[in-house]
Amino acid sequence: MDEALRLEEREEIGDRLACLACAPKSGDLIRRRFVPWFRVAVSNCAPVPAGTKPIYAAAQISVIDRIRTIEPRSPMTDQPYLRLRGIRKEFGTFAALSNIDLDIAKGEFVCFLGPSGCGKTTLLRIIAGLEVPTSGTITQAGSDITRRPPAERDYGIVFQSYALFPNLSVADNVAYGLVNRRVPKTQINERVRELVKLVGLPGSERKFPAQLSGGQQQRIALARALATSPGLLLLDEPLSALDALERVRLRQEIRALQQKLGVTTIMVTHDQEEALSLADRIVVMNHGVIEQIGSAMDIYREPASPFVADFVGKVNVLPGRLDGSKLDVGSFSLSPPQLSRHAAPAKDVKVYLRPEDVLARSVGGGGAGFPPDDPHVFDAVIEKIEFLGSFCHVHVNASAFAPHKLTVYLSLNFLTEQSLTVNSSLRLKLLPERLRIF
């Protein structure tokens, strides 16, 4: 920019731009094309000496026209939208978070996954400004927001408990943030209608929260969070209070809506199925630290630690002995391909085997599909069958792994076709390449 902006002008332009960004017709254009450029230019401007004529006097120059003249700076294209560095949070002598480093790209859907007490909600509250970190920095769209109050941060948030105002109608709940920003009433009404329709509840504007189901209330809470077109959407276990069917429906709607709007989203959950089905990347947390960051497939297939292998999905844990590239587990001496490049010293290990990574054939069928000399085949007897609908958890006893028992996944069709029940015999096959060793 050829002239620097004075501090009071920054505030004025920011307010005007926020109002424009809420307008249904121009909001997307401003949010996607101009706001990042505007923030970079303004944040890098120094105040001019007192007495300098303001360059944004009266209404002589259109804000949008001026923004169009600001060129984007190349470093912004290389930076993540949200960056956390060295985040630590202590409550007295207890460290809830320890040295959290995380980068989140613009438009990405990230899930914080972990057991209760792992620090995931504390981390979300720090990003929202509802908690102050003991140390570390948070950068959003190139600006340091570590010490900014919540009202000065660019995000919308949805809570587990909906947090709707019971005395306000659906329309007034959705419009709450826009009213506080003094957006013209006609624009507010249009934006409310647009959002209520977007979340699948057109015509409900005059209803009150008590007249809505839990799923409907959460949809309205989502609409309210999106009303101001935030750059960041925070979801604090938004589905945990809903019944199973409603959870599935709403999580599909949330994902479709996030992809349509392209808003950067962070969701806190302890539900593995939610995280695996929704997220572009999952951040697995435990005891205040990040155990692993990766896609759903990476987290599930390539766990980085025993905790991740055990926490995400179901797994059989067996004792083993590792010597070089040889693995002894049960009565098997295996050479898994993942060990071929690593000559490890002899040591005791734990072997993690997913239930779906064991293939099954009935003994009555002659073990069809398994060569008679296959070294990875073993016999087992069904001890218990847990019926879960289309598939079952089948617990088996196998002399090859005695005294340890295995759980395998078998389809209901397979069990029915082979007439398998408790005490039936099975022929099973290990897949050595699927074993994970820690």
Side-chain angles (χ1 to χ4, degrees), residues 88-98 134 287:
R88 183 176 179 83
K89 178 62 178 179
E90 297 176 351
F91 295 97
T93 59
F94 173 70
L97 294 171
S98 301
T134 303
H287 296 308

Side-chain angles (χ1 to χ4, degrees), residues 387-407:
F387 175 68
L388 297 174
S390 60
F391 73 99
C392 301
H393 287 175
V394 179
H395 304 270
V396 302
N397 282 321
S399 59
F401 295 101
H404 303 282
K405 299 175 182 179
L406 294 180
T407 298

